[in-house]
């Protein structure tokens, strides 16, 4: 599971003084095109690592980049051919690079790079080229046959007849992941996880036969397989060394083996060995064994994910998209999550919840803060800011999970948003802007920690209450519970006592942002005329609207008008905290007793409906700010220093590569699957 950008980072303000940046002049902005902004992240503290650790990060970064072609091919079967063709045109172009056609071509290529294929990474809609087919055909004319990405036996004409409609015809391969359940989602999705002619029903029947409902530790069926039809029969083609994607997997294994040679300890060596065995065989039981070894290693500083992990790219949610994250522990920031987790029982015992509904023995979820060192595959260029793995439910229940926050990524988002005009447009006055500038970065991080480590883990169900009793409102109310727990404690002196928040007034920055977001600015993600559907967004509006209404008679929070614009005004932060405590108590009661009716009333009354006038105002005010809706990252370049014998004597990071330079380098150095 991954946390994408939370609403708070639509346009964060931040505290400069808490930034761990080593270089104040670090340039976060790299490129801008279509609806995308490409940023750069810094890897603070890299220089403090030992040579052995630096080597390990280098080898893991190679293992990460070696898998690049896999995600391109998973995303669509013509992606690698198209990439090669477009890059050849781009690097060999001798015409006027200022012409409209070439500029449109360059924009398209940048989009394709960002999507790891011809579809948008988020909407999964196919990109629309703004250059003409004649322009592209003319460019292809200049390329000799020997440089064309021809399949065996394919002629130039056949290549064009195949690829031109894929690029230009909006009805061909229109959507990468089609989730519209009224159609056959397998047949209508343009990804390459299922072969030609395979239907949804055939896939479901195939896996239903494999599954044994009595198995308490089932493997993740389909995780590393493409399902195809051979002679009219459904079969799986597995991803492994001698199977599908073998040449890429061979390179990954090579670099994992190198990383193993400089591993930090036996536990780490053991899980790398198991991961390699899994890559060699494709045996999903080995993947589960690896996952258990991995989740139980909490001592190593360096950590990584490399494999077929998240299944958002499969409309049936089975096949894992290839990805890699390489990181190391941010010790200073992790001390924060450890301080919180080790006081979990104190927080539980002092919550405003009815004691009957509290947990007598609470165990905080282990969470750490990490510094990302390389992002790859499905996690690049667009990436998550938090990850919680493994995904397998029985492993999570028996062995736990690792929850991580990618602090340097979060920081890059925040730094890049500085001065984007959001606060000036939406925040009521200068003192509040100053408060948010000073504290919001810190309180946002703390809010996430409290939410993840304590909020979700708190409270208990009464005997006999079904954990699914709240039905379709379950996730909204669960997120509300975790948010309320976090918000309530952000204002508690306990945080000063355990040393995670210096100023007892800092929480006000988070309270203001939460109300502003829940009442107004998150509406920017909703299309005009639509209700709120997503659980996190419902939860935020539920809390904000409930507090607004219940604080009305004491004027705790108000919506006021200034120069014709609406603003959130908080008059009494202390009373606001009391209200948050009351709502937490009520939502915990609803959860503990499985009171579907009361939960549904709360959701329907506060969380779903949107005031169309205010909605329009928010959209209009946002539009003027020109904040790019999507952002992603280039990686630092790992530079080796070697002695006369070729031994590595140092590894340094270079932050100067441009976005096209990085993409072309990856194609040059890490093309593993043909072309
Ligand atoms: Zn949550």
């Amino acid at each position: 599971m991954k946390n994408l950008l939370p609403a708070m980072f639509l346009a964060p303000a931040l505290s400069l003084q808490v930034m761990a940046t080593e270089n104040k002049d670090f340039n976060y902005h790299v490129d801008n095109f279509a609806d995308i902004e490409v940023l750069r992240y810094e890897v603070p503290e890299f220089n403090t690592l030992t040579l052995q650790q630096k080597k390990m990060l280098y080898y893991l970064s190679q293992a990460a980049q070696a898998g690049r072609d896999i995600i391109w091919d998973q995303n669509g079967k013509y992606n690698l051919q198209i990439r090669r063709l477009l890059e050849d045109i781009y690097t060999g172009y001798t015409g006027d690079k200022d012409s409209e056609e070439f500029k449109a071509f360059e924009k398209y290529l940048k989009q394709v790079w960002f999507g790891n294929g011809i579809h948008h990474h988020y909407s999964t809609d196919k990109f629309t080229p703004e250059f003409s087919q004649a322009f592209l055909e003319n460019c292809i004319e200049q390329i000799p046959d020997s440089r064309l990405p021809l399949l065996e036996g394919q002629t130039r004409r056949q290549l064009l007849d195949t690829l031109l409609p894929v690029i230009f015809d909006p009805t061909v391969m229109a959507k990468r992941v089609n989730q519209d359940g009224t159609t056959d989602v397998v047949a209508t999705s343009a990804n390459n996880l299922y072969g030609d002619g395979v239907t949804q029903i055939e896939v479901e029947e195939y896996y239903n036969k494999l599954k044994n409902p009595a198995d308490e530790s089932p493997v993740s069926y389909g995780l590393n397989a493409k399902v195809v039809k051979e002679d009219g029969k459904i079969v799986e083609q597995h991803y492994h060394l001698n199977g599908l994607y073998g040449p890429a997997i061979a390179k990954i294994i090579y670099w994992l083996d190198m990383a193993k040679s400089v591993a930090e300890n036996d536990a780490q060596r053991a899980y790398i060995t198991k991961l390699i065995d899994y890559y060699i065989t494709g045996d999903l039981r080995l993947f589960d064994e690896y996952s258990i070894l991995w989740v139980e290693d909490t001592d190593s500083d360096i950590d990584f994910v490399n494999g077929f992990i998240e299944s958002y790219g499969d409309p049936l949610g089975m096949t894992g998209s290839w990805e890699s994250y390489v990181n190391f522990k941010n010790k200073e920031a992790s001390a924060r999550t450890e301080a919180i987790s080790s006081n979990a029982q104190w927080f539980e015992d002092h919550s405003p919840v009815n004691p009957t509904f509290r947990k007598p023995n609470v165990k905080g979820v282990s969470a750490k803060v990490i510094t990302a060192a390389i992002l790859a595959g499905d996690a690049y260029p667009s990436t998550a800011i938090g990850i919680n793995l493994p995904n397998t439910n029985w492993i999570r229940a028996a062995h736990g999970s690792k929850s991580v926050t990618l602090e340097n990524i979060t920081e890059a988002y925040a730094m890049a948003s500085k001065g984007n005009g959001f606060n000036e447009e939406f925040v009521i006055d200068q003192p509040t802007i100053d408060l948010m500038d000073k504290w919001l970065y810190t309180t946002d991080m703390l809010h996430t920690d409290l939410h993840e480590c304590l909020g979700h883990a708190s409270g208990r169900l009464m005997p006999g209450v079904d954990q699914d009793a709240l039905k379709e409102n379950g996730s909204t109310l669960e997120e509300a519970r975790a948010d309320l727990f976090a918000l309530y404690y952000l204002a508690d002196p306990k945080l000063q006592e355990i040393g995670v928040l210096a100023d007892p007034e800092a929480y006000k920055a988070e309270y203001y942002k939460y109300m502003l977001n829940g009442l107004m600015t998150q509406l920017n993600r909703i299309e005009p005329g639509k209700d709120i559907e997503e659980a996190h967004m419902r939860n935020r509006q539920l809390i904000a609207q409930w507090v607004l209404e219940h604080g009305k008679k004491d004027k705790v929070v108000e919506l006021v008008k200034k120069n014709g614009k609406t603003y959130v005004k908080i008059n009494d932060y202390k009373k606001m905290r009391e209200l948050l405590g009351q709502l937490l108590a009520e939502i915990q009661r609803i959860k503990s007793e499985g009171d579907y009716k009361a939960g549904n009333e709360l959701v329907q009354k506060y969380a779903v409906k949107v005031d169309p006038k205010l909605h329009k105002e928010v959209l209009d005010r946002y539009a003027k700010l020109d904040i790019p809706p999507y952002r992603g990252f280039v990686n630092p370049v790992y530079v080796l220093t070697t002695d006369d014998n070729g031994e590595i004597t140092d590894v340094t990071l270079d932050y100067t590569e441009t976005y096209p330079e990085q993409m072309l380098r990856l194609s040059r150095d890490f093309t593993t699957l043909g072309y």
Side-chain angles (χ1 to χ4, degrees), residues 514-533:
Y514 201 93
M515 293 302 283
L516 173 60
N517 189 45
L519 293 172
M520 292 177 59
T521 49
Q522 73 165 356
L523 297 176
N524 183 44
R525 290 185 163 192
I526 303 290
E527 283 174 46
K530 294 247 165 85
D531 287 341
I532 297 180
E533 293 189 19

Side-chain angles (χ1 to χ4, degrees), residues 404-638:
V404 300
T405 309
L406 288 75
E407 182 144 308
N408 58 329
I409 296 296
T410 308
E411 180 182 312
Y413 277 131
M415 291 297 283
S417 299
K418 258 182 74 68
N420 66 9
F422 175 90
N423 285 355
E424 290 67 22
E425 178 59 44
F426 287 107
V427 178
I428 188 161
D429 53 29
Q430 196 57 44
T432 312
I433 291 177
D434 294 344
L435 183 76
M436 290 168 76
D437 272 346
K438 188 161 181 205
W439 288 112
L440 191 56
Y441 181 78
T442 309
T443 56
D444 260 351
M445 297 300 259
L446 260 177
H447 179 268
T448 305
D449 298 338
L450 291 164
H451 175 115
E452 300 291 348
C453 303
L454 301 180
H456 283 305
S458 79
R460 63 167 168 178
L461 297 186
M462 291 295 96
V465 170
D466 177 0
Q467 61 165 357
D468 297 323
L470 303 177
K471 297 184 214 171
E472 74 277 13
N473 300 312
S475 28
T476 297
L477 293 167
E478 176 57 22
E479 291 308 323
R481 202 172 67 87
D483 262 0
L484 286 162
F485 201 94
L487 290 167
Y488 180 79
Y489 276 117
L490 263 179
D492 201 285
K494 185 75 178 172
L495 298 191
Q496 282 80 55
E497 188 193 314
I498 62 173
V500 296
L501 185 61
D503 188 330
E505 303 294 305
Y507 76 95
K508 292 177 179 173
E510 187 71 18
Y511 278 24
Y512 190 86
K513 191 248 15 216
Y514 201 93
M515 293 302 283
L516 173 60
N517 189 45
L519 293 172
M520 292 177 59
T521 49
Q522 73 165 356
L523 297 176
N524 183 44
R525 290 185 163 192
I526 303 290
E527 283 174 46
K530 294 247 165 85
D531 287 341
I532 297 180
E533 293 189 19
E534 201 272 326
H536 292 83
M537 291 183 69
R538 281 190 169 186
N539 130 50
R540 294 181 192 123
Q541 178 166 302
L542 191 166
I543 293 172
Q545 289 286 358
W546 190 94
V547 167
L548 181 70
E549 187 182 300
H550 287 75
K552 214 160 233 158
K553 77 170 174 6
D554 297 329
K555 291 201 168 169
V556 178
V557 184
E558 301 173 277
L559 286 176
V560 298
K561 289 267 185 191
K562 256 179 37 178
N563 307 325
K565 292 178 179 176
T566 311
Y567 292 88
V568 171
K569 184 161 181 263
I570 300 183
N571 299 309
D572 192 336
Y573 282 92
K574 286 221 156 53
K575 279 234 172 71
M576 181 175 155
R577 186 189 184 214
E578 284 169 27
L579 290 170
L580 293 167
Q582 282 173 28
L583 185 57
L584 172 58
E586 171 61 2
I587 289 183
Q588 182 60 58
R589 182 199 66 75
I590 288 170
K591 169 118 185 169
S592 292
E593 296 181 342
D595 188 345
Y596 173 81
K597 189 167 165 284
N600 192 48
E601 275 168 18
L602 271 184
V603 171
Q604 293 309 323
K605 186 163 180 199
Y606 299 105
V608 180
K609 290 289 169 214
V610 176
D611 169 3
K613 248 179 84 185
L614 184 60
H615 188 189
K616 184 175 183 311
E617 183 193 322
V618 169
L619 292 176
D620 290 347
R621 285 165 70 182
Y622 243 109
K624 275 186 266 157
L625 292 177
D626 198 24
I627 295 173
Y630 303 101
R631 297 198 285 195
F633 293 88
V634 291
N635 284 308
V637 183
Y638 282 69

Side-chain angles (χ1 to χ4, degrees), residues 231-243:
D231 303 325
K233 260 188 68 186
I234 294 292
V235 293
E236 286 182 309
Q237 292 179 343
H238 290 105
Y239 308 144
H240 60 81
L241 182 59
N242 296 308

Side-chain angles (χ1 to χ4, degrees), residues 171-435:
T171 64
V172 175
M173 300 180 80
K175 207 167 175 72
R176 177 160 60 80
V177 190
N178 178 27
Q179 310 261 31
D180 174 5
T182 61
T183 60
D184 180 327
V185 295
V186 167
T188 55
S189 291
N191 64 30
N192 192 24
L193 306 176
Y194 299 94
D196 290 338
V198 175
T199 68
Q200 181 177 353
I201 291 173
E202 286 170 330
V203 176
E204 285 167 351
E205 279 176 356
Y206 175 82
Y207 283 111
N208 283 339
K209 262 187 229 155
L210 288 183
K211 286 179 190 165
N212 170 9
D215 188 351
E216 285 174 1
S217 53
V219 297
S220 307
Y221 287 105
L223 188 70
N224 64 344
K226 176 174 178 177
V227 177
V228 299
K229 228 178 217 173
E230 278 174 10
D231 303 325
K233 260 188 68 186
I234 294 292
V235 293
E236 286 182 309
Q237 292 179 343
H238 290 105
Y239 308 144
H240 60 81
L241 182 59
N242 296 308
L244 210 52
Y245 303 144
I249 289 171
K251 288 263 160 56
I252 294 171
I253 291 173
Y254 172 82
W255 290 111
L256 288 179
D257 212 43
M258 295 295 282
K260 195 174 111 179
S261 72
V262 288
E264 293 175 283
N265 53 52
D266 289 343
Q268 199 176 50
R269 244 185 310 276
Y271 82 67
I272 299 177
T273 306
K274 197 65 89 174
L275 178 59
I276 292 173
D277 290 347
Y278 161 63
Y279 266 134
I280 292 173
T281 60
D283 182 346
L284 285 169
R285 272 167 306 188
L286 291 178
F287 180 67
D288 287 344
E289 289 173 20
Y290 148 78
S291 297
I292 292 166
L293 290 172
W294 175 79
V295 80
E296 290 184 343
D297 171 26
T298 50
D299 291 335
S300 307
D301 286 340
I302 293 177
D303 204 352
F304 72 98
V305 170
N306 184 310
F308 303 95
I309 308 292
E310 307 282 5
S311 55
Y312 303 102
D314 177 1
L316 299 182
M318 292 193 296
T319 308
S321 297
W322 192 89
E323 70 172 25
S324 183
Y325 286 93
V326 179
N327 63 78
F328 58 94
K329 192 168 174 178
N330 177 332
K331 287 185 185 156
E332 204 184 306
S334 293
R336 186 181 76 210
T337 54
E338 279 151 20
I340 291 168
S341 281
S342 61
N343 285 286
Q345 192 66 50
W346 185 92
F347 287 104
E348 184 73 2
D349 294 345
H350 293 79
S351 91
V353 160
N354 181 333
T356 325
F357 305 140
R358 292 183 197 144
K359 257 199 190 119
N361 287 301
V362 65
K363 197 173 166 287
V365 174
S366 92
K368 64 177 173 177
V369 180
I370 59 171
T371 301
I374 210 92
L375 310 165
D378 203 33
Y380 166 88
S382 170
T383 194
I385 55 158
I387 320 163
N388 191 322
L389 292 172
N391 284 328
T392 311
N393 279 322
W394 68 264
I395 297 180
R396 296 171 70 85
H399 303 273
S401 67
K402 277 191 205 170
S403 175
V404 300
T405 309
L406 288 75
E407 182 144 308
N408 58 329
I409 296 296
T410 308
E411 180 182 312
Y413 277 131
M415 291 297 283
S417 299
K418 258 182 74 68
N420 66 9
F422 175 90
N423 285 355
E424 290 67 22
E425 178 59 44
F426 287 107
V427 178
I428 188 161
D429 53 29
Q430 196 57 44
T432 312
I433 291 177
D434 294 344
L435 183 76

